[in-house]
Amino acid sequence: NPSAYQPDLAAACNNLGILYYGNNRVDKAEQEFLRAKKILKQLVEEHPSVYQPNLAMSCNNLGNLYVDTNRMDKAEQEYLRAKEIREQLAAEHPSAYQPDLADSCNNLGALYKNTNRMDKAEREFLRAKEIRERLAAEHPSTYQPDLAMSYNNLGNLYYKNNCMDKAEQEYLRAEEIYERLAVENPSAYQPDLASTCNNLGVLY
């Protein structure tokens, strides 16, 4: 009964992939993530609106694995596929899928930064920031941490490109958010605040 149980099988493969990945058994993790992706691609052909989010997540998991194993071409391919799906979903249901789209943009930005494609990295980080600024305006307590991370990522990028004024501006924005968050939840956000203060100190 494929239509009834393939979704559960894909979920089981994904869970095994996460378990193996967490235990540094990368080959087995990749095998399970690929199995989940293959099943989900079939399901998307039959029911796109239902299974596209799961397929995007599967692509993202593979992208993370390939980044950690320094297979950047494969990682980029998976991240771009995840982003493409999430672009479509966010166009139809913004409130539900814009956070995932921002995550995809952020992942691509980090990949491009680490492979010295700075223009592409800036474009993706800016897109993630733009989305997260809108989300944080509507739901501050939920999305301000992600927004601060976007500011910090851009600060690091600009610092690496020797654009010190822009880097300072982004770091200061991140610091402002982390100051507030650290007052409300010190154990969770003081490390981020300290890291941002350190970034500013290095810059100055």
Side-chain angles (χ1 to χ4, degrees), residues 123-134:
R123 184 180 66 200
E124 297 296 337
F125 281 149
L126 286 171
R127 181 84 190 283
K129 182 178 87 165
E130 176 192 354
I131 295 169
R132 287 169 172 173
E133 282 179 334
R134 288 199 303 269

Side-chain angles (χ1 to χ4, degrees), residues 10 14 32-38 40 52-64 78 82 86:
N14 190 66
E32 295 299 337
F33 284 150
L34 286 170
R35 180 103 187 270
K37 180 185 171 185
K38 181 179 178 181
L40 288 165
Q52 278 184 328
N54 302 81
L55 179 57
M57 180 187 67
S58 190
C59 293
N60 197 68
N61 287 343
L62 277 165
N64 291 338
E78 297 297 337
R86 288 169 170 174

Side-chain angles (χ1 to χ4, degrees), residues 76 102 105 155 163:
E76 181 181 8
C105 294
C163 302

Side-chain angles (χ1 to χ4, degrees), residues 116-128:
N116 287 315
R117 288 176 278 178
M118 297 304 184
D119 290 343
K120 285 190 172 185
E122 182 183 14
R123 184 180 66 200
E124 297 296 337
F125 281 149
L126 286 171
R127 181 84 190 283

Side-chain angles (χ1 to χ4, degrees), residues 2-193:
S3 61
Y5 295 109
Q6 276 188 330
D8 294 328
L9 177 57
C13 292
N14 190 66
N15 289 340
L16 271 169
I18 291 170
L19 183 143
Y20 289 138
Y21 188 46
N23 288 328
N24 206 32
R25 297 155 79 182
V26 175
D27 290 343
K28 286 196 170 188
E30 181 181 8
Q31 183 180 3
E32 295 299 337
F33 284 150
L34 286 170
R35 180 103 187 270
K37 180 185 171 185
K38 181 179 178 181
I39 297 167
L40 288 165
K41 284 176 74 174
Q42 296 170 352
L43 292 168
V44 163
E45 290 177 6
E46 300 166 10
H47 307 285
S49 61
V50 178
Y51 296 109
Q52 278 184 328
N54 302 81
L55 179 57
M57 180 187 67
S58 190
C59 293
N60 197 68
N61 287 343
L62 277 165
N64 291 338
L65 183 147
Y66 290 139
V67 164
D68 287 346
T69 52
N70 205 32
R71 288 177 277 178
M72 295 303 184
D73 290 343
K74 284 191 172 185
E76 181 181 8
Q77 184 179 2
E78 297 297 337
Y79 282 155
L80 285 171
R81 179 74 176 119
K83 181 187 170 187
E84 178 188 3
I85 296 169
R86 288 169 170 174
E87 289 269 17
Q88 296 169 0
L89 293 168
E92 297 166 7
H93 307 285
S95 60
Y97 295 109
Q98 279 192 332
D100 292 333
L101 176 57
D103 289 344
S104 280
C105 294
N106 191 71
N107 287 342
L108 276 165
L111 184 147
Y112 291 138
K113 176 176 174 281
N114 290 334
T115 52
N116 287 315
R117 288 176 278 178
M118 297 304 184
D119 290 343
K120 285 190 172 185
E122 182 183 14
R123 184 180 66 200
E124 297 296 337
F125 281 149
L126 286 171
R127 181 84 190 283
K129 182 178 87 165
E130 176 192 354
I131 295 169
R132 287 169 172 173
E133 282 179 334
R134 288 199 303 269
L135 292 168
E138 297 168 6
H139 306 285
S141 60
T142 304
Y143 295 110
Q144 278 193 332
D146 292 332
L147 177 57
M149 181 177 67
S150 278
Y151 289 144
N152 209 51
N153 287 342
L154 275 165
N156 291 337
L157 179 81
Y158 291 137
Y159 179 79
K160 189 173 182 180
N161 280 345
N162 207 33
C163 302
M164 296 305 180
D165 289 343
K166 285 186 174 183
E168 181 186 13
Q169 184 180 20
E170 300 297 337
Y171 284 150
L172 287 171
R173 287 172 174 169
E175 183 186 45
E176 180 185 356
I177 294 173
Y178 284 136
E179 288 271 12
R180 291 198 300 270
L181 293 171
V183 170
E184 298 165 6
N185 192 341
S187 61
Y189 295 109
Q190 277 189 335
D192 295 318
L193 175 57

